[in-house]
Amino acid sequence: MRTHVVVVAALLCSRLALADTAEEIVEASKLNGGLAVVIGTDASTLPTQLSMNGFVVQMLDTDAKEVAKARERLLASALQGRLSAITFDGMHLPYVDNLVNLLVIQDERSEVLDEELRRVLAPRGVLVSKAESANWNLDVHHAGDWLV
């Protein structure tokens, strides 16, 4: 069975605030929850906002120090359980096939190939990114401030 992949990417010059971004992502993806994976553990509010919109969120990063910082933020916010952070090798996503409902790539340095992205996305899963990557061979279409 071929996984249907929709790519939604915010333009780099987007005027959207981070708090609005999660709402826009949820609205554009037409998802009501599930497993959201966020590649990159920067201090944005996106993972928290996604968890407040019905997702269980796992953040991934290649830098153990960044993961430790993210975990400290989670403990301070009392959101552990709905949010977690782990390290990964930067190429292979630590999930079984067809598991992830929403895959958000915050780290523009991500080197995950499109085959790996497709492997972990559930049927009708959605990939969201700040920019297209040369590593992906995915169809992208313009829709307002988003690439779909």
Side-chain angles (χ1 to χ4, degrees):
M1 170 178 24
R2 183 174 171 97
T3 302
H4 175 69
V5 177
V6 177
V7 178
V8 181
L11 296 174
L12 289 174
C13 60
S14 175
R15 298 177 303 270
L16 299 172
L18 281 176
D20 294 332
T21 301
E23 292 171 9
E24 296 258 352
I25 288 170
V26 169
E27 185 177 322
S29 70
K30 297 181 176 34
L31 296 174
N32 295 320
L35 175 61
V37 173
V38 179
I39 298 177
T41 56
D42 69 11
S44 78
T45 61
L46 182 61
T48 302
Q49 293 293 322
L50 289 173
S51 73
M52 295 162 101
N53 278 285
F55 289 92
V56 173
V57 181
Q58 186 161 65
M59 296 178 284
L60 302 177
D61 205 303
T62 57
D63 186 339
K65 290 180 183 177
E66 292 300 317
V67 169
K69 288 179 192 176
R71 288 177 177 165
E72 288 176 20
R73 288 191 305 272
L74 294 177
L75 287 172
S77 69
L79 290 172
Q80 66 274 14
R82 293 207 52 86
L83 286 160
S84 62
I86 64 170
T87 57
F88 82 121
D89 67 6
M91 298 285 291
H92 304 95
L93 299 172
Y95 306 103
V96 297
D97 297 358
N98 303 317
L99 179 67
V100 178
N101 303 99
L102 179 63
L103 181 55
V104 180
I105 302 178
Q106 286 191 141
D107 186 350
E108 294 174 18
R109 301 166 296 151
S110 175
E111 296 181 10
V112 180
L113 299 176
D114 69 334
E115 297 89 26
E116 183 67 358
L117 301 172
R118 290 175 193 266
R119 182 186 69 76
V120 301
L121 279 172
R124 304 205 193 288
V126 177
L127 170 67
V128 178
S129 180
K130 289 184 176 181
E132 281 186 84
S133 170
N135 294 328
W136 305 341
N137 183 24
L138 302 171
D139 293 330
V140 179
H141 309 280
H142 291 276
D145 284 342
W146 297 92
L147 296 175
V148 180

